[in-house]
């Protein structure tokens, strides 16, 4: 072997070839949506399980909404959300508190020669959901009575006010093709056994999911012929891709939202899907250091949430007053304590606790760490030393679960954020008595709270329901275990050439996007 | 040479076995029920039972390791926790992208770094040497993720010459190549500096050897002396460095794959760790380890083949 292959000439030739090949297609992928009616979007990861019964959630729900039938869909009404029947039904209505009748639109066909969409598909889909990993959404459903090829009745086992909003409009409400699903073995993962919707679906793992216009679809035509969803796991990378013109719409983080709001890039608009996330700092009421409610109340009074909103979230999120998010029934405009360092010091003095040192656990995300640092400074002002413990998502999300180890015993303070659906019941379910050691990491119980939870599920009078959820949040305030922080919005930056439609919880509904 | 090869393969097998043991232990060192950790708290009792049986979690640890080892040796690295797809298939879909990125990154670094090192050594103290020295140190000092972001901002956002994300359209070679340029540039830049410094140092040492003076005295052209005599010897430690450098590039590639949203084994492992998808983590780390062992082995064999002194000592 000789080394004369690595001559300067060889190097220059190779480098030039590589460079030319690289630069030749410059501008690839930099066309905005309306050209060729292709919409380029972001997917935050591969869709692993498209089956509504076993999905992880998130973008899998986005895929289901393009390819599978739903009986109802969200519709925005100012700052609040309600529902409307989808194009798959000609009728969907409550006939009494426990019966919802539906009639499917005629002539909608499943792909792969699996025939038309029938009421029996609805019955099959929802029966299998009751045995699935998402069965909680169908606890209130007794059965689906098929009354004709296209008609049926959803029979509830008790009045359940949010059934349509929470279950039918959301991912678990997807209807699958009975024949195709059974032929696939009763479950499916990365491919739909049959589709009946505006788009067909295909995916290249790790790269993209592609939605092509479904030639068999006879319902309302989608706004774009093709939707290409590029797998971009990091939101910052997606923002750069948007700014490079390679995708037409992306979720924005708080910093970018503030930057865009201050100086909107040309041709860009912002759409807010909803504010269905609630963040708080939790306290373990059973921990020896925090068992005295005066210490917990002192912490409530010591934390300056306005500074957190300004310093960690650039003023882009709404101040929280409880677990019920803005725009939902029971959302409050105030809560049971206020920022009052003098009162906090007074409570600490009353408790007789001195030299208190606490550990604050948080996900190692930028905003959370900034939040933790502000809390650390606030609590230092009343004599509490806070050590911040940044964590990866894996151990963080199981630290309060008794079945995942013993960490729950050491939990003191933590910053937590949950996402919810457009009804207050969902957020309250995580704090009932039997959730202690599961998701109720604050570890308190209240018979009144549990009783109100049950009442809230079945109460159909709006005013009474609102009062129930307000009272439940008051009970949470009274435990002293919560410092309410904020409700982060789900915001999207997008080209002004498109109209973006997103569910309140942030899932994009591509087939309702329109070129402007 | 055959005995040497056998020894090295035996050593590689021991390393692979140790990695397998480490990967297997990983699942058992984490507190809590591995099935719940993998499937999440929403999993039904049936799903947990099915996973427990499938992963042999209800059997003694030693038995589990034997199953794991047996399956791994047969090329079965298990199934993705979520999609139930074979881990081997998932890795197969991504490994080509990682290999393309790592090889291109190291390739251009070799093509630029080695000549730069030669030029600097041939004219020590000249402006070429000084400029090369400054730039080499600069290139080494800047982390690849910073280069990635800088390159993305300049070439994709500002100039719009090159695409920012993805790996290009399947089947469109030119498009795929254009998507490779920036990430390969980013992960290779530091290695240009390393290689230039290494080749320069080796060359300076070799250029002072008596046989080089003899070659010059015989009237050989400077080009022939440098390329035919000096570089042939000076390149040997660089080959070792390149072999080991592939290990570093595997980790650099993770950042590049995340920043440029490219598919690849590094990003796959990163995502799987976040999702606690242990079969994917195990499979990905095993493949990355195997690749590294293979490259180091190849570099050692190459040196043995190029250098008669090494060959004769085997």
């Amino acid at each position: 072997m000789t080394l004369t292959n690595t001559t300067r000439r060889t190097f220059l030739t190779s480098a030039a070839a590589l460079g030319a090949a690289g630069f030749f297609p410059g501008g690839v992928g930099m066309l905005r949506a309306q050209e060729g009616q292709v919409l380029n979007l972001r997917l935050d990861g591969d869709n692993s399980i498209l089956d509504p019964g076993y999905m992880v959630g998130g973008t899998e729900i986005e895929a289901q909404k393009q390819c599978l039938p739903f009986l109802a869909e969200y519709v925005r009404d100012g700052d609040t959300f309600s529902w409307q029947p989808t194009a798959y039904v000609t009728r969907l209505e409550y006939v009494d508190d426990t019966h919802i009748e539906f009639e499917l639109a005629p002539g909608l066909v499943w792909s792969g020669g699996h025939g038309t969409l029938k009421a029996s598909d609805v019955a099959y889909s929802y029966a299998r959901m009751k045995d699935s990993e998402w069965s909680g959404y169908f606890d209130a459903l007794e059965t689906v009575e098929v009354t004709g090829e296209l008609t049926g009745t959803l029979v509830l086992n008790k009045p359940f006010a949010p059934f349509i909003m929470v279950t039918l409009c959301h991912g678990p409400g997807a209807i699958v093709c009975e024949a195709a699903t059974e032929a696939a073995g009763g479950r499916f993962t990365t491919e739909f056994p049959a589709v009946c919707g505006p788009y067909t679906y295909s995916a290249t793992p790790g790269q993209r999911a592609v939605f092509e216009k479904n030639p068999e679809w006879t319902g309302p035509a989608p706004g774009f012929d093709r939707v290409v969803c590029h797998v971009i796991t990091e939101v910052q990378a997606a923002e750069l891709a948007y700014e490079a013109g390679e995708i037409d719409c992306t979720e924005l983080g708080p910093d970018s939202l503030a930057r865009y709001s201050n100086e909107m890039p040309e041709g860009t608009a912002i759409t807010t899907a909803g504010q269905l996330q609630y963040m708080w700092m939790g306290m373990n009421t059973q921990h020896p250091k925090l068992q005295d409610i005066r210490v917990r109340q002192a912490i409530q009074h010591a934390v300056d949430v306005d500074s957190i909103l300004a310093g960690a979230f650039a003023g882009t999120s709404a101040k929280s007053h409880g677990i019920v998010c803005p725009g939902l029934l029971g959302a409050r405009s105030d809560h049971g304590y206020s920022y009052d360092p003098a009162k906090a010091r007074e409570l600490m003095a009353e408790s007789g606790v001195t030299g208190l040192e606490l550990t604050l656990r948080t996900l190692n995300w930028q905003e959370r760490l900034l939040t933790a640092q502000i809390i650390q400074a606030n609590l230092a002002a009343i004599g509490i030393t806070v050590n911040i413990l940044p964590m990866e998502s894996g151990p963080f999300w199981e630290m309060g679960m008794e079945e995942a180890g013993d960490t729950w015993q050491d939990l003191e303070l933590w910053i937590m954020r949950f996402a919810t659906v457009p009804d207050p019941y969902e957020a309250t379910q995580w704090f009932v008595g039997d959730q202690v050691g599961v998701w109720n990491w604050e570890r308190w119980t209240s018979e009144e709270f549990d009783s109100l939870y049950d009442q809230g599920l079945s109460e159909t009078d709006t005013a009474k329901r609102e009062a129930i959820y307000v009272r439940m949040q008051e009970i949470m305030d009274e435990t002293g275990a919560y410092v309410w922080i904020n409700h982060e919005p789900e915001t999207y930056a997008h080209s002004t050439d498109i109209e973006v439609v997103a569910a309140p919880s942030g899932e994009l509904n591509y087939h309702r996007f329109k070129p402007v | 040479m055959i005995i040497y090869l056998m020894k090295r393969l035996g050593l590689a097998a021991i390393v692979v076995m140790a990695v397998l043991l480490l990967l297997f232990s990983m699942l058992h060192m984490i507190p809590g029920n591995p099935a719940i950790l993998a499937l999440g708290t929403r999993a039904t009792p049936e799903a947990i039972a099915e996973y427990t049986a499938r992963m042999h979690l209800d059997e003694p640890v030693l038995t589990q390791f034997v199953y794991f080892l047996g399956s791994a040796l047969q090329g079965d690295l298990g199934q993705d926790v979520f999609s139930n797809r074979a881990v081997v298939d998932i890795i197969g879909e991504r490994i080509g992208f990682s290999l393309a990125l790592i090889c291109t990154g190291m390739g251009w670094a070799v093509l630029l770094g080695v000549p730069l090192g030669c030029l600097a050594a041939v004219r020590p103290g000249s402006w070429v040497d000084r400029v090369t020295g400054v730039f080499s140190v600069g290139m080494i000092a800047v982390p690849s993720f910073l280069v990635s972001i800088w390159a993305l901002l300049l070439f994709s956002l500002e100039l719009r010459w090159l695409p920012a994300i993805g790996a290009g359209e399947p089947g469109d070679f030119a498009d795929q190549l254009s998507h490779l340029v920036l990430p390969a540039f980013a992960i290779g830049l530091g290695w240009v500096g390393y290689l230039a410094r290494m080749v320069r140092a080796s060359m300076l040492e070799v250029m002072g050897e008596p046989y080089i003076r003899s070659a010059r005295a015989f009237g050989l052209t400077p080009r022939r002396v440098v390329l035919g005599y000096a570089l042939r010897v000076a390149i040997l430690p660089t080959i070792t460095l390149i072999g080991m450098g592939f290990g570093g590039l595997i980790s650099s590639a993770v950042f590049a794959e995340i920043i440029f949203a490219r598919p690849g084994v590094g990003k796959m492992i990163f995502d799987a760790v976040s999702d606690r998808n242990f079969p994917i983590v195990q499979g990905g780390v095993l493949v990355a380890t195997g690749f590294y062992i293979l490259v180091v082995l190849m570099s050692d064999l190459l040196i043995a083949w190029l250098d008669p002194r090494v060959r004769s000592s085997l």
Side-chain angles (χ1 to χ4, degrees), chain A residues 22 30 152 276 382 441:
Chain A
M30 293 170 191
L276 299 187
I382 63 162
W441 296 356

Side-chain angles (χ1 to χ4, degrees), chain A residues 94-346:
Chain A
Y94 273 99
V95 288
D96 60 42
D97 285 351
T98 56
H99 290 78
I100 305 167
E101 288 185 354
F102 67 87
E103 181 172 3
L104 297 170
L108 298 176
V109 296
W110 291 104
S111 62
H114 290 290
T116 56
L117 171 66
K118 300 184 191 77
S120 57
D121 290 319
V122 180
Y124 170 80
S125 301
Y126 293 171
R128 74 192 285 274
M129 288 303 292
K130 284 180 73 68
D131 297 324
S132 74
E133 292 178 4
W134 290 73
S135 59
Y137 283 82
F138 288 84
D139 281 347
L141 181 71
E142 183 67 34
T143 187
V144 179
E145 290 174 354
V146 176
T147 54
E149 188 174 290
L150 298 176
T151 57
T153 305
L154 306 175
V155 181
L156 307 185
N157 50 33
K158 59 186 174 186
F160 183 54
F163 187 73
I164 291 182
M165 279 290 279
V166 168
T167 304
L168 299 189
C169 292
H170 197 38
I175 297 158
V176 298
C177 174
E178 179 178 5
T181 305
E182 284 301 304
R187 280 173 71 161
F188 52 95
T189 54
T190 53
E191 290 176 20
F192 290 111
V195 300
C196 175
Y199 289 112
T200 61
Y201 174 85
S202 63
T204 309
Q207 296 188 63
R208 59 175 67 79
V210 179
F211 297 85
E212 301 275 3
K213 215 169 178 177
N214 181 358
E216 296 180 280
W217 172 245
T218 54
F224 292 89
D225 295 340
R226 191 167 191 253
V227 182
V228 182
C229 297
H230 305 267
V231 175
I232 310 173
T233 49
E234 299 302 310
V235 70
Q236 290 89 348
E239 289 166 5
L240 288 173
Y242 173 76
E243 289 173 19
E246 294 188 29
I247 56 176
D248 300 298
C249 173
T250 183
E251 187 187 344
L252 288 178
D255 282 349
S256 300
L257 177 58
R259 179 164 56 89
Y260 276 47
S261 301
N262 289 334
E263 192 176 343
M264 190 70 73
E266 196 181 333
T268 293
I270 301 282
T271 292
T272 300
Q275 296 177 306
L276 299 187
Q277 300 186 87
Y278 49 104
M279 187 186 292
W280 73 93
M281 182 177 75
M283 295 173 236
N284 183 351
T285 58
Q286 292 180 355
H287 194 281
K289 292 180 183 174
L290 292 162
Q291 273 176 341
D292 188 333
I293 191 169
R294 290 170 297 187
V295 174
R296 301 199 300 270
Q297 287 171 335
I299 292 172
Q300 285 182 319
H301 285 293
V303 176
D304 181 4
V305 173
D306 289 332
S307 294
I308 293 173
L309 300 189
F313 294 91
T316 57
S317 60
K319 189 173 183 175
S320 176
H321 303 292
I323 56 173
V324 179
C325 298
L328 305 189
L329 200 66
R332 301 188 297 175
S333 56
D334 205 352
H335 50 269
Y337 59 86
S338 57
Y339 173 54
D340 187 347
K343 173 87 174 165
R345 283 189 207 97
E346 199 178 298

Side-chain angles (χ1 to χ4, degrees), chain A residues 1 3 11 21-23 26 28 46 48-49 133-134 189 205-208 232 234 240 243-244 246 398 401, chain B residues 37 41-42 82-83 93-94 97 111-112 152 157 160-165 170 175 177-178 232 258 263 276 305:
Chain A
M1 182 179 176
L3 296 171
F11 156 68
F23 280 71
V28 168
D46 285 325
S48 298
I49 309 175
E133 292 178 4
W134 290 73
T189 54
Q207 296 188 63
R208 59 175 67 79
I232 310 173
E234 299 302 310
L240 288 173
E243 289 173 19
E246 294 188 29
E398 64 184 28
M401 292 183 177
Chain B
L37 289 177
T41 50
R42 197 185 277 126
F82 301 109
S83 67
E93 286 162 353
R94 288 161 171 82
F97 295 104
L111 289 175
L112 188 59
L152 193 114
L157 262 69
R160 300 211 168 196
W161 286 356
L162 289 163
I165 54 156
D175 190 40
L177 202 57
S178 73
R232 182 165 179 168
I258 292 168
R276 318 206 83 179
W305 183 53

Side-chain angles (χ1 to χ4, degrees), chain A residues 342-360:
Chain A
K343 173 87 174 165
R345 283 189 207 97
E346 199 178 298
L347 284 162
M348 284 300 286
E350 268 180 39
S351 72
V353 175
T354 54
L356 183 61
E357 189 169 337
L358 296 169
T359 300
L360 172 58

